[in-house]
mmCIF file of all heavy atoms in Angstrom:
data_model
loop_
_atom_site.group_PDB
_atom_site.id
_atom_site.type_symbol
_atom_site.label_atom_id
_atom_site.label_comp_id
_atom_site.label_asym_id
_atom_site.label_seq_id
_atom_site.Cartn_x
_atom_site.Cartn_y
_atom_site.Cartn_z
ATOM 1 N N ALA A 1 3.847 7.740 13.999
ATOM 2 C CA ALA A 1 4.785 6.625 14.076
ATOM 3 C C ALA A 1 4.069 5.364 13.623
ATOM 4 O O ALA A 1 2.939 5.092 14.043
ATOM 5 C CB ALA A 1 5.315 6.457 15.490
ATOM 6 N N GLY A 2 4.702 4.620 12.741
ATOM 7 C CA GLY A 2 4.095 3.394 12.244
ATOM 8 C C GLY A 2 5.083 2.620 11.396
ATOM 9 O O GLY A 2 6.066 3.172 10.887
ATOM 10 N N THR A 3 4.817 1.330 11.240
ATOM 11 C CA THR A 3 5.685 0.483 10.436
ATOM 12 C C THR A 3 5.416 0.719 8.946
ATOM 13 O O THR A 3 4.451 1.386 8.562
ATOM 14 C CB THR A 3 5.447 -0.992 10.761
ATOM 15 O OG1 THR A 3 4.107 -1.336 10.366
ATOM 16 C CG2 THR A 3 5.627 -1.251 12.250
ATOM 17 N N LEU A 4 6.276 0.138 8.122
ATOM 18 C CA LEU A 4 6.095 0.244 6.679
ATOM 19 C C LEU A 4 4.756 -0.344 6.255
ATOM 20 O O LEU A 4 4.074 0.203 5.377
ATOM 21 C CB LEU A 4 7.246 -0.474 5.967
ATOM 22 C CG LEU A 4 7.225 -0.441 4.437
ATOM 23 C CD1 LEU A 4 7.334 0.990 3.916
ATOM 24 C CD2 LEU A 4 8.366 -1.295 3.875
ATOM 25 N N ASP A 5 4.354 -1.465 6.898
ATOM 26 C CA ASP A 5 3.068 -2.074 6.567
ATOM 27 C C ASP A 5 1.906 -1.162 6.952
ATOM 28 O O ASP A 5 0.920 -1.039 6.204
ATOM 29 C CB ASP A 5 2.929 -3.420 7.281
ATOM 30 C CG ASP A 5 3.890 -4.465 6.730
ATOM 31 O OD1 ASP A 5 4.404 -4.262 5.615
ATOM 32 O OD2 ASP A 5 4.127 -5.475 7.426
ATOM 33 N N GLU A 6 2.012 -0.518 8.101
ATOM 34 C CA GLU A 6 0.945 0.378 8.538
ATOM 35 C C GLU A 6 0.859 1.598 7.632
ATOM 36 O O GLU A 6 -0.238 2.060 7.311
ATOM 37 C CB GLU A 6 1.188 0.797 9.994
ATOM 38 C CG GLU A 6 1.009 -0.352 10.972
ATOM 39 C CD GLU A 6 1.509 -0.012 12.363
ATOM 40 O OE1 GLU A 6 2.358 0.906 12.483
ATOM 41 O OE2 GLU A 6 1.061 -0.656 13.331
ATOM 42 N N TRP A 7 2.005 2.104 7.213
ATOM 43 C CA TRP A 7 2.007 3.208 6.240
ATOM 44 C C TRP A 7 1.375 2.762 4.928
ATOM 45 O O TRP A 7 0.573 3.480 4.321
ATOM 46 C CB TRP A 7 3.437 3.689 6.022
ATOM 47 C CG TRP A 7 3.609 4.655 4.891
ATOM 48 C CD1 TRP A 7 3.299 5.987 4.888
ATOM 49 C CD2 TRP A 7 4.139 4.372 3.587
ATOM 50 N NE1 TRP A 7 3.608 6.560 3.671
ATOM 51 C CE2 TRP A 7 4.124 5.576 2.853
ATOM 52 C CE3 TRP A 7 4.618 3.220 2.969
ATOM 53 C CZ2 TRP A 7 4.574 5.660 1.531
ATOM 54 C CZ3 TRP A 7 5.075 3.295 1.661
ATOM 55 C CH2 TRP A 7 5.040 4.510 0.958
ATOM 56 N N GLY A 8 1.717 1.550 4.482
ATOM 57 C CA GLY A 8 1.133 1.034 3.250
ATOM 58 C C GLY A 8 -0.374 0.899 3.340
ATOM 59 O O GLY A 8 -1.093 1.183 2.377
ATOM 60 N N SER A 9 -0.861 0.472 4.498
ATOM 61 C CA SER A 9 -2.314 0.369 4.682
ATOM 62 C C SER A 9 -2.966 1.742 4.617
ATOM 63 O O SER A 9 -4.081 1.884 4.089
ATOM 64 C CB SER A 9 -2.624 -0.297 6.022
ATOM 65 O OG SER A 9 -2.107 -1.616 6.059
ATOM 66 N N ARG A 10 -2.282 2.742 5.128
ATOM 67 C CA ARG A 10 -2.796 4.115 5.059
ATOM 68 C C ARG A 10 -2.847 4.588 3.602
ATOM 69 O O ARG A 10 -3.832 5.208 3.180
ATOM 70 C CB ARG A 10 -1.904 5.027 5.892
ATOM 71 C CG ARG A 10 -2.199 6.510 5.775
ATOM 72 C CD ARG A 10 -3.588 6.860 6.245
ATOM 73 N NE ARG A 10 -3.772 8.302 6.292
ATOM 74 C CZ ARG A 10 -4.945 8.913 6.215
ATOM 75 N NH1 ARG A 10 -6.053 8.193 6.082
ATOM 76 N NH2 ARG A 10 -5.031 10.221 6.282
ATOM 77 N N VAL A 11 -1.820 4.284 2.832
ATOM 78 C CA VAL A 11 -1.827 4.645 1.413
ATOM 79 C C VAL A 11 -2.959 3.921 0.698
ATOM 80 O O VAL A 11 -3.637 4.492 -0.174
ATOM 81 C CB VAL A 11 -0.467 4.314 0.755
ATOM 82 C CG1 VAL A 11 -0.516 4.610 -0.742
ATOM 83 C CG2 VAL A 11 0.660 5.119 1.405
ATOM 84 N N ALA A 12 -3.201 2.658 1.059
ATOM 85 C CA ALA A 12 -4.254 1.861 0.413
ATOM 86 C C ALA A 12 -5.636 2.461 0.633
ATOM 87 O O ALA A 12 -6.545 2.234 -0.180
ATOM 88 C CB ALA A 12 -4.210 0.423 0.925
ATOM 89 N N GLU A 13 -5.810 3.211 1.702
ATOM 90 C CA GLU A 13 -7.100 3.865 1.923
ATOM 91 C C GLU A 13 -7.428 4.841 0.802
ATOM 92 O O GLU A 13 -8.607 5.061 0.492
ATOM 93 C CB GLU A 13 -7.080 4.601 3.270
ATOM 94 C CG GLU A 13 -6.998 3.689 4.481
ATOM 95 C CD GLU A 13 -6.897 4.470 5.783
ATOM 96 O OE1 GLU A 13 -7.070 5.727 5.729
ATOM 97 O OE2 GLU A 13 -6.645 3.869 6.843
ATOM 98 N N ARG A 14 -6.416 5.444 0.217
ATOM 99 C CA ARG A 14 -6.624 6.374 -0.898
ATOM 100 C C ARG A 14 -6.383 5.727 -2.254
ATOM 101 O O ARG A 14 -7.051 6.059 -3.232
ATOM 102 C CB ARG A 14 -5.693 7.584 -0.738
ATOM 103 C CG ARG A 14 -5.926 8.402 0.515
ATOM 104 C CD ARG A 14 -7.302 9.054 0.506
ATOM 105 N NE ARG A 14 -7.471 9.964 -0.596
ATOM 106 C CZ ARG A 14 -7.251 11.283 -0.520
ATOM 107 N NH1 ARG A 14 -6.859 11.816 0.626
ATOM 108 N NH2 ARG A 14 -7.439 12.073 -1.567
ATOM 109 N N ALA A 15 -5.420 4.823 -2.316
ATOM 110 C CA ALA A 15 -5.031 4.241 -3.604
ATOM 111 C C ALA A 15 -5.788 2.965 -3.933
ATOM 112 O O ALA A 15 -5.885 2.587 -5.102
ATOM 113 C CB ALA A 15 -3.532 3.961 -3.618
ATOM 114 N N GLY A 16 -6.293 2.269 -2.918
ATOM 115 C CA GLY A 16 -6.940 0.986 -3.138
ATOM 116 C C GLY A 16 -5.977 -0.164 -2.904
ATOM 117 O O GLY A 16 -4.751 0.019 -2.913
ATOM 118 N N ALA A 17 -6.528 -1.341 -2.698
ATOM 119 C CA ALA A 17 -5.710 -2.530 -2.454
ATOM 120 C C ALA A 17 -5.038 -2.978 -3.742
ATOM 121 O O ALA A 17 -5.538 -2.753 -4.846
ATOM 122 C CB ALA A 17 -6.571 -3.656 -1.892
ATOM 123 N N ASP A 18 -3.899 -3.630 -3.594
ATOM 124 C CA ASP A 18 -3.168 -4.150 -4.747
ATOM 125 C C ASP A 18 -3.824 -5.453 -5.200
ATOM 126 O O ASP A 18 -3.882 -6.416 -4.433
ATOM 127 C CB ASP A 18 -1.708 -4.389 -4.370
ATOM 128 C CG ASP A 18 -0.834 -4.626 -5.589
ATOM 129 O OD1 ASP A 18 -1.323 -5.222 -6.570
ATOM 130 O OD2 ASP A 18 0.338 -4.211 -5.571
ATOM 131 N N PRO A 19 -4.323 -5.518 -6.449
ATOM 132 C CA PRO A 19 -4.999 -6.742 -6.899
ATOM 133 C C PRO A 19 -4.032 -7.881 -7.201
ATOM 134 O O PRO A 19 -4.464 -9.025 -7.326
ATOM 135 C CB PRO A 19 -5.724 -6.288 -8.175
ATOM 136 C CG PRO A 19 -4.897 -5.150 -8.684
ATOM 137 C CD PRO A 19 -4.350 -4.457 -7.480
ATOM 138 N N LEU A 20 -2.742 -7.593 -7.307
ATOM 139 C CA LEU A 20 -1.773 -8.621 -7.682
ATOM 140 C C LEU A 20 -0.949 -9.122 -6.511
ATOM 141 O O LEU A 20 -0.512 -10.262 -6.501
ATOM 142 C CB LEU A 20 -0.831 -8.072 -8.762
ATOM 143 C CG LEU A 20 -1.486 -7.613 -10.070
ATOM 144 C CD1 LEU A 20 -0.436 -7.054 -11.013
ATOM 145 C CD2 LEU A 20 -2.222 -8.766 -10.730
ATOM 146 N N VAL A 21 -0.701 -8.254 -5.530
ATOM 147 C CA VAL A 21 0.157 -8.609 -4.397
ATOM 148 C C VAL A 21 -0.678 -8.550 -3.125
ATOM 149 O O VAL A 21 -1.332 -7.549 -2.851
ATOM 150 C CB VAL A 21 1.365 -7.659 -4.301
ATOM 151 C CG1 VAL A 21 2.248 -8.045 -3.113
ATOM 152 C CG2 VAL A 21 2.167 -7.682 -5.598
ATOM 153 N N LYS A 22 -0.639 -9.612 -2.353
ATOM 154 C CA LYS A 22 -1.476 -9.689 -1.154
ATOM 155 C C LYS A 22 -0.665 -9.608 0.136
ATOM 156 O O LYS A 22 -1.176 -9.906 1.202
ATOM 157 C CB LYS A 22 -2.253 -11.008 -1.170
ATOM 158 C CG LYS A 22 -3.157 -11.166 -2.386
ATOM 159 C CD LYS A 22 -4.170 -10.022 -2.518
ATOM 160 C CE LYS A 22 -5.063 -10.198 -3.733
ATOM 161 N NZ LYS A 22 -6.008 -9.057 -3.881
ATOM 162 N N THR A 23 0.580 -9.184 0.062
ATOM 163 C CA THR A 23 1.388 -9.072 1.270
ATOM 164 C C THR A 23 0.889 -7.919 2.129
ATOM 165 O O THR A 23 0.238 -6.984 1.625
ATOM 166 C CB THR A 23 2.860 -8.837 0.902
ATOM 167 O OG1 THR A 23 2.961 -7.669 0.077
ATOM 168 C CG2 THR A 23 3.443 -10.024 0.166
ATOM 169 N N PRO A 24 1.175 -7.935 3.440
ATOM 170 C CA PRO A 24 0.724 -6.850 4.315
ATOM 171 C C PRO A 24 1.260 -5.497 3.847
ATOM 172 O O PRO A 24 2.418 -5.374 3.447
ATOM 173 C CB PRO A 24 1.309 -7.239 5.679
ATOM 174 C CG PRO A 24 1.497 -8.707 5.609
ATOM 175 C CD PRO A 24 1.855 -9.010 4.191
ATOM 176 N N GLY A 25 0.392 -4.505 3.890
ATOM 177 C CA GLY A 25 0.789 -3.154 3.517
ATOM 178 C C GLY A 25 0.833 -2.893 2.029
ATOM 179 O O GLY A 25 1.219 -1.798 1.602
ATOM 180 N N ALA A 26 0.436 -3.848 1.196
ATOM 181 C CA ALA A 26 0.464 -3.647 -0.255
ATOM 182 C C ALA A 26 -0.672 -2.719 -0.670
ATOM 183 O O ALA A 26 -1.742 -2.703 -0.067
ATOM 184 C CB ALA A 26 0.335 -4.989 -0.970
ATOM 185 N N PHE A 27 -0.422 -1.936 -1.702
ATOM 186 C CA PHE A 27 -1.446 -1.029 -2.231
ATOM 187 C C PHE A 27 -1.275 -0.916 -3.733
ATOM 188 O O PHE A 27 -0.187 -1.165 -4.282
ATOM 189 C CB PHE A 27 -1.355 0.354 -1.572
ATOM 190 C CG PHE A 27 0.012 0.972 -1.624
ATOM 191 C CD1 PHE A 27 0.422 1.748 -2.701
ATOM 192 C CD2 PHE A 27 0.912 0.786 -0.570
ATOM 193 C CE1 PHE A 27 1.681 2.322 -2.744
ATOM 194 C CE2 PHE A 27 2.179 1.358 -0.596
ATOM 195 C CZ PHE A 27 2.561 2.126 -1.689
ATOM 196 N N ALA A 28 -2.352 -0.578 -4.420
ATOM 197 C CA ALA A 28 -2.297 -0.426 -5.874
ATOM 198 C C ALA A 28 -1.383 0.743 -6.212
ATOM 199 O O ALA A 28 -1.538 1.837 -5.664
ATOM 200 C CB ALA A 28 -3.697 -0.186 -6.428
ATOM 201 N N HIS A 29 -0.443 0.507 -7.119
ATOM 202 C CA HIS A 29 0.510 1.575 -7.404
ATOM 203 C C HIS A 29 1.146 1.400 -8.779
ATOM 204 O O HIS A 29 1.087 0.323 -9.384
ATOM 205 C CB HIS A 29 1.615 1.611 -6.347
ATOM 206 C CG HIS A 29 2.523 0.419 -6.397
ATOM 207 N ND1 HIS A 29 2.255 -0.750 -5.714
ATOM 208 C CD2 HIS A 29 3.703 0.212 -7.054
ATOM 209 C CE1 HIS A 29 3.225 -1.617 -5.938
ATOM 210 N NE2 HIS A 29 4.100 -1.068 -6.758
ATOM 211 N N THR A 30 1.761 2.458 -9.223
ATOM 212 C CA THR A 30 2.575 2.462 -10.433
ATOM 213 C C THR A 30 3.989 2.838 -10.039
ATOM 214 O O THR A 30 4.199 3.781 -9.269
ATOM 215 C CB THR A 30 2.045 3.481 -11.454
ATOM 216 O OG1 THR A 30 0.711 3.130 -11.825
ATOM 217 C CG2 THR A 30 2.918 3.514 -12.696
ATOM 218 N N THR A 31 4.984 2.101 -10.543
ATOM 219 C CA THR A 31 6.375 2.402 -10.225
ATOM 220 C C THR A 31 6.855 3.584 -11.056
ATOM 221 O O THR A 31 6.254 3.955 -12.072
ATOM 222 C CB THR A 31 7.274 1.201 -10.512
ATOM 223 O OG1 THR A 31 7.267 0.946 -11.925
ATOM 224 C CG2 THR A 31 6.795 -0.034 -9.762
ATOM 225 N N LEU A 32 7.965 4.150 -10.632
ATOM 226 C CA LEU A 32 8.538 5.292 -11.356
ATOM 227 C C LEU A 32 8.914 4.917 -12.779
ATOM 228 O O LEU A 32 8.623 5.654 -13.731
ATOM 229 C CB LEU A 32 9.763 5.818 -10.605
ATOM 230 C CG LEU A 32 10.553 6.923 -11.321
ATOM 231 C CD1 LEU A 32 9.714 8.178 -11.477
ATOM 232 C CD2 LEU A 32 11.842 7.241 -10.556
#
C-alpha cells in the first residue's frame, strides 16, 4: 500500500530520478 508519489519513488530506484521534473515521485521515463 502506498501513494502515487511513493510508488514513483520506488520506480525511481530502478529507473533513476527525472532530470527535468522535480515534483515528488517523479522518475526518468519515456512516454508511450
Side-chain angles (χ1 to χ4, degrees):
T3 65
L4 181 62
D5 291 342
E6 291 169 338
W7 170 77
S9 298
R10 172 62 172 156
V11 176
E13 293 177 9
R14 298 296 299 266
D18 193 326
L20 300 178
V21 180
K22 300 303 180 182
T23 57
F27 53 88
H29 68 272
T30 299
T31 65
L32 174 64

